[in-house]
């Protein structure tokens, strides 16, 4: 259980050193699942942004609609969409060496196989959605075996953490550094940093948590669905982009601390991070977190933290431009 096999909500009970061990374990697994070939030439049929190979926007959006429909057959299984997309993204890393195209990865058989694998791993009843696909069940089962072999069994937690899982751990560690965190069992924190208690009057710190959670969750959904993970942009980097942009939008993180040292002025000024920061009135007295704290929470050096977040949000900005041009 130490590497995250128990439910994420239980991580709020873990000590700081245990969360540190968890992050280190997830990082090792992630580096294996999203290890790409740096010499890989550009391949037709894929989208490239900032040196990262991703599923083309139309294919990704179509795949998300199909996945949502398949998960909806199992009711609350739609909560696993982030995990399902992470497995799809990890498969995309290996697609060229397996002779698979972006189209192959987003066909109905492959998507149904991914859903069934994730649901079975999460111990959710996984057969209900196959009623509409009964004629292709043998093909789905065969594709599942291929996916399991290609991924070497890394299909979900603890060996394949999604950006959403990373976000919960990062925010949990960030809130643990705030002096005014609630104390006592009646105010135990959940994984996203909010309080389980229902006080009669909301404290200022609780209001901050609610505001931060709203913005970070919104940014996580945007990045997971519009960009996804890839070699060079693993789930932890996507999570850093979501946390950084979300906290900037909430007015709780200084936007200038998010600028990588190798990004020049005009590029930074045109970036989504910079624009969001200047759109939200920046007030130093309202900042809750610093770059140093964010880097410590995710166990990265500050420069790598800034670079990962900037790369993720820049990929989101590019995807928005691409979608607008296709409209």
């Amino acid at each position: 259980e130490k590497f995250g096999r128990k439910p994420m909500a239980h991580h709020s009970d873990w000590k700081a050193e245990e969360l540190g061990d968890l992050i280190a374990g997830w990082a090792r697994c992630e580096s294996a699942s999203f290890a790409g070939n740096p010499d890989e030439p550009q391949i037709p049929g894929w989208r490239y942004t900032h040196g990262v190979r991703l599923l083309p926007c139309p294919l990704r959006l179509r795949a998300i609609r199909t996945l949502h429909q398949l998960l909806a057959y199992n009711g609350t299984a739609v909560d696993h969409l982030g995990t399902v997309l992470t497995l799809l993204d990890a498969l995309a890393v290996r697609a060229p060496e397996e002779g698979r195209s972006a189209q192959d990865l987003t066909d109905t058989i492959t998507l149904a196989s991914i859903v069934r694998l994730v649901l079975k791993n999460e111990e959710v009843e996984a057969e209900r959605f196959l009623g509409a696909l009964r004629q292709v069940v043998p093909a789905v089962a065969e594709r599942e075996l291929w996916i399991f072999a290609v991924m070497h069994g890394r299909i979900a937690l603890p060996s394949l953490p999604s950006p959403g899982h990373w976000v919960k751990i990062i925010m949990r560690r960030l809130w643990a550094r705030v002096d005014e965190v609630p104390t006592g069992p009646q105010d135990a924190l959940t994984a996203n940093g909010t309080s389980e208690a229902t006080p009669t009057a909301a404290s200022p710190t609780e209001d901050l948590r609610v505001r931060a959670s709203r913005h970070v969750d919104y940014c996580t959904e945007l990045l997971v669905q519009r960009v996804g993970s890839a070699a060079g942009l693993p789930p932890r980097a996507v999570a850093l982009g979501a946390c950084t942009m979300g906290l900037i939008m909430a007015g709780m993180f200084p936007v200038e601390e998010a600028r990588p040292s190798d990004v020049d002025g005009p590029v930074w000024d045109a970036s989504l991070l910079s624009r969001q920061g200047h759109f939200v009135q920046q007030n130093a007295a309202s900042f809750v977190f610093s770059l140093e704290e964010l880097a410590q929470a995710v166990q990265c050096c500050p420069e790598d933290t800034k670079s990962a977040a900037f790369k993720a949000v820049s990929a989101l900005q590019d995807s928005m431009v691409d979608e607008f041009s296709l409209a």
Side-chain angles (χ1 to χ4, degrees), residues 6-30:
K6 59 184 178 180
M8 284 296 299
H10 295 175
H11 292 162
S12 59
D13 301 325
W14 288 22
K15 297 177 182 178
E17 60 270 21
E18 292 179 317
L19 288 175
D21 291 343
L22 177 68
I23 287 175
W26 281 8
R28 286 194 297 271
C29 293
E30 180 178 89

Side-chain angles (χ1 to χ4, degrees), residues 9 40 83 123 125 132 146-147 173 234 253 257 263 287 290-291:
E40 176 185 285
T83 302
E123 299 179 354
E125 198 279 313
W146 173 77
I147 293 171
R173 297 195 84 196
F253 187 91
E257 288 196 14
V263 174
F287 296 151
S290 67
L291 172 64

Side-chain angles (χ1 to χ4, degrees), residues 150-169:
V150 168
M151 292 301 302
H152 301 287
R154 301 186 188 97
I155 57 172
L157 280 182
S159 56
L160 192 67
S162 70
H165 293 132
W166 277 109
V167 164
K168 290 177 182 178
I169 290 299

Side-chain angles (χ1 to χ4, degrees), residues 133-207:
L133 303 170
R134 195 167 301 279
Q135 71 277 12
V136 295
V137 169
V140 169
E142 183 179 348
R143 194 68 53 85
E144 281 183 54
L145 293 175
W146 173 77
I147 293 171
F148 196 86
V150 168
M151 292 301 302
H152 301 287
R154 301 186 188 97
I155 57 172
L157 280 182
S159 56
L160 192 67
S162 70
H165 293 132
W166 277 109
V167 164
K168 290 177 182 178
I169 290 299
I170 293 169
M171 294 306 299
R172 172 71 183 103
R173 297 195 84 196
L174 279 176
W175 284 116
R177 297 174 181 275
V178 177
D179 292 336
E180 298 83 4
V181 292
T183 58
Q186 73 277 14
D187 288 321
L189 297 178
T190 61
N192 65 0
T194 57
S195 174
E196 292 178 344
T198 309
T200 54
S203 68
T205 303
E206 188 176 357
D207 288 340

Side-chain angles (χ1 to χ4, degrees), residues 96-113:
E97 63 189 55
E98 293 291 324
R100 305 280 175 150
S101 66
Q103 293 277 0
D104 294 334
L105 291 187
T106 54
D107 66 21
T108 302
I109 300 297
T110 302
L111 296 179
S113 304

